[in-house]
Amino acid sequence: MRERLNSTPTWALLLIFWLAWAAVTFAIGIIETRDLLWSVVSAAVISLVIATGMALAIKARLRWENGALGDAPKDHRRLALKAAWKGPIPTDPELRATTLAVAQEQLRQMRRGRPLQIIAISLAVISAIGLAVTNSPGSSSCSSATSPWPSPSSTPPAASGNASLCCPNRSRCISGRAPKALEGR
């Protein structure tokens, strides 16, 4: 499988990942919104970002693995990678040297990525604290604008003064009751 990934061009990996993620995000978009145009556009954009990250990450990893493995034979490559990730350390001196090179490269990659990991975790914690404090994913004062579920409060948006900003059906929100066409039903 590694040989197949090594020989696959980056654009082909990008296309494969893009198609897979586009299908998933399109299905989620249709289920959530039932809006075809929004689902297609959002699936295309979101999946392109995810697929680009995945393709570039896989190619970068294969590049450093190939650099660490050097000209080792095919069977030594697989055994060295397995030993570097899971152990045990092989007794063959040539295989042991290849395993050591892979393990040292893994350590170098982990040290290089440490600041990014700290930044990502810090942003996630700050975001979680912000969501916990505001108690909503958005900063709007109207719960119907940020959530598809009805608000637990009994005060209509018109009474709070946010009818024009919050309610998708202005005539119902301003009057606080259903439109005349629906009253008899």
Side-chain angles (χ1 to χ4, degrees):
M1 181 67 175
R2 239 175 250 287
E3 292 81 24
R4 198 172 279 165
L5 283 175
N6 270 332
S7 64
T8 306
T10 306
W11 66 264
L13 281 178
L14 177 68
L15 182 65
I16 291 167
F17 291 141
W18 182 76
L19 289 173
W21 280 103
V24 170
T25 53
F26 175 75
I28 291 171
I30 286 292
I31 290 169
E32 290 291 322
T33 65
R34 308 235 189 269
D35 184 4
L36 183 65
L37 179 64
W38 185 88
S39 297
V40 168
V41 171
S42 65
V45 172
I46 291 169
S47 59
L48 182 64
V49 170
I50 293 172
T52 302
M54 288 179 67
L56 293 177
I58 285 176
K59 280 300 188 175
R61 176 172 171 127
L62 288 172
R63 224 177 4 259
W64 74 256
E65 279 183 0
N66 289 334
L69 290 168
D71 295 331
K74 186 177 177 179
D75 58 337
H76 278 124
R77 294 171 78 88
R78 187 180 60 78
L79 291 173
L81 287 170
K82 184 178 177 185
W85 283 105
K86 298 178 183 178
I89 298 172
T91 55
D92 179 23
E94 189 177 310
L95 187 56
R96 177 176 257 177
T98 307
T99 302
L100 179 62
V102 170
Q104 286 175 339
E105 185 62 27
Q106 287 173 351
L107 183 60
R108 190 179 73 76
Q109 292 293 326
M110 281 185 5
R111 285 185 180 152
R112 193 173 130 210
R114 176 64 83 190
L116 293 177
Q117 291 172 352
I118 292 171
I119 290 169
I121 290 172
S122 300
L123 288 175
V125 168
I126 290 168
S127 174
I129 291 170
L131 289 174
V133 169
T134 61
N135 198 20
S136 69
S139 60
S140 174
S141 61
C142 178
S143 63
S144 65
T146 60
S147 173
W149 308 108
S151 174
S153 70
S154 59
T155 308
S160 65
N162 291 331
S164 62
L165 298 174
C166 302
C167 191
N169 184 353
R170 272 188 95 200
S171 62
R172 182 171 181 228
C173 293
I174 291 172
S175 65
R177 57 187 175 88
K180 292 186 185 229
L182 298 176
E183 282 183 354
R185 292 185 186 179

Tab-separated table of all heavy atoms in Angstrom, residues 155-164 167 170 172-176:
chain	number	residue	atom	x	y	z
A	155	THR	N	-41.560	34.161	25.677
A	155	THR	CA	-41.646	35.517	25.160
A	155	THR	C	-41.393	35.498	23.663
A	155	THR	O	-40.349	35.031	23.226
A	155	THR	CB	-40.592	36.419	25.834
A	155	THR	OG1	-40.705	36.289	27.235
A	155	THR	CG2	-40.755	37.855	25.396
A	156	PRO	N	-42.366	35.981	22.846
A	156	PRO	CA	-42.125	36.003	21.405
A	156	PRO	C	-41.059	37.035	21.067
A	156	PRO	O	-40.827	37.979	21.823
A	156	PRO	CB	-43.475	36.389	20.815
A	156	PRO	CG	-44.221	37.054	21.909
A	156	PRO	CD	-43.692	36.476	23.202
A	157	PRO	N	-40.369	36.854	19.927
A	157	PRO	CA	-39.311	37.789	19.565
A	157	PRO	C	-39.795	39.228	19.455
A	157	PRO	O	-39.037	40.154	19.695
A	157	PRO	CB	-38.819	37.276	18.211
A	157	PRO	CG	-39.198	35.839	18.179
A	157	PRO	CD	-40.439	35.731	19.001
A	158	ALA	N	-41.073	39.439	19.104
A	158	ALA	CA	-41.588	40.804	18.978
A	158	ALA	C	-41.552	41.525	20.315
A	158	ALA	O	-41.285	42.714	20.387
A	158	ALA	CB	-43.012	40.779	18.439
A	159	ALA	N	-41.793	40.792	21.405
A	159	ALA	CA	-41.800	41.407	22.727
A	159	ALA	C	-40.384	41.792	23.162
A	159	ALA	O	-40.199	42.717	23.928
A	159	ALA	CB	-42.412	40.457	23.752
A	160	SER	N	-39.372	41.056	22.651
A	160	SER	CA	-38.004	41.383	23.045
A	160	SER	C	-37.393	42.454	22.166
A	160	SER	O	-36.293	42.898	22.410
A	160	SER	CB	-37.130	40.121	23.006
A	160	SER	OG	-37.026	39.656	21.674
A	161	GLY	N	-38.107	42.864	21.114
A	161	GLY	CA	-37.610	43.920	20.247
A	161	GLY	C	-36.695	43.423	19.149
A	161	GLY	O	-36.106	44.209	18.434
A	162	ASN	N	-36.527	42.099	18.997
A	162	ASN	CA	-35.630	41.536	18.001
A	162	ASN	C	-36.382	40.844	16.873
A	162	ASN	O	-35.846	39.971	16.221
A	162	ASN	CB	-34.678	40.522	18.639
A	162	ASN	CG	-33.689	41.179	19.561
A	162	ASN	OD1	-33.342	42.336	19.348
A	162	ASN	ND2	-33.252	40.468	20.572
A	163	ALA	N	-37.619	41.209	16.620
A	163	ALA	CA	-38.420	40.499	15.632
A	163	ALA	C	-37.826	40.612	14.242
A	163	ALA	O	-37.792	39.637	13.506
A	163	ALA	CB	-39.843	41.048	15.630
A	164	SER	N	-37.352	41.776	13.859
A	164	SER	CA	-36.831	41.932	12.507
A	164	SER	C	-35.485	41.234	12.330
A	164	SER	O	-35.125	40.878	11.227
A	164	SER	CB	-36.698	43.409	12.167
A	164	SER	OG	-35.783	44.011	13.058
A	167	CYS	N	-36.567	36.573	13.470
A	167	CYS	CA	-37.622	35.711	12.981
A	167	CYS	C	-37.585	35.598	11.463
A	167	CYS	O	-37.614	36.613	10.761
A	167	CYS	CB	-38.977	36.253	13.437
A	167	CYS	SG	-40.296	35.080	13.142
A	170	ARG	N	-41.440	37.356	9.438
A	170	ARG	CA	-41.622	38.618	10.166
A	170	ARG	C	-43.056	38.854	10.587
A	170	ARG	O	-43.311	39.327	11.682
A	170	ARG	CB	-41.168	39.795	9.304
A	170	ARG	CG	-39.716	40.093	9.467
A	170	ARG	CD	-39.375	41.356	8.758
A	170	ARG	NE	-39.449	42.433	9.735
A	170	ARG	CZ	-39.582	43.693	9.435
A	170	ARG	NH1	-39.674	44.070	8.193
A	170	ARG	NH2	-39.616	44.609	10.359
A	172	ARG	N	-45.396	36.855	11.462
A	172	ARG	CA	-45.785	36.064	12.630
A	172	ARG	C	-45.075	36.569	13.880
A	172	ARG	O	-45.664	36.652	14.946
A	172	ARG	CB	-45.447	34.599	12.397
A	172	ARG	CG	-45.863	33.739	13.555
A	172	ARG	CD	-45.739	32.279	13.227
A	172	ARG	NE	-46.166	31.519	14.366
A	172	ARG	CZ	-45.490	30.516	14.876
A	172	ARG	NH1	-44.382	30.143	14.312
A	172	ARG	NH2	-45.936	29.885	15.916
A	173	CYS	N	-43.822	36.923	13.758
A	173	CYS	CA	-43.055	37.359	14.920
A	173	CYS	C	-43.492	38.741	15.396
A	173	CYS	O	-43.482	39.007	16.587
A	173	CYS	CB	-41.573	37.373	14.598
A	173	CYS	SG	-40.907	35.729	14.313
A	174	ILE	N	-43.833	39.621	14.496
A	174	ILE	CA	-44.229	40.970	14.895
A	174	ILE	C	-45.555	40.937	15.634
A	174	ILE	O	-45.728	41.563	16.668
A	174	ILE	CB	-44.296	41.898	13.667
A	174	ILE	CG1	-42.863	42.119	13.163
A	174	ILE	CG2	-44.954	43.225	14.009
A	174	ILE	CD1	-42.774	42.855	11.863
A	175	SER	N	-46.497	40.142	15.138
A	175	SER	CA	-47.807	40.102	15.797
A	175	SER	C	-47.817	39.143	16.976
A	175	SER	O	-48.680	39.226	17.835
A	175	SER	CB	-48.888	39.704	14.791
A	175	SER	OG	-48.665	38.371	14.356
A	176	GLY	N	-46.879	38.196	16.998
A	176	GLY	CA	-46.848	37.224	18.084
A	176	GLY	C	-47.843	36.093	17.870
A	176	GLY	O	-48.045	35.272	18.740
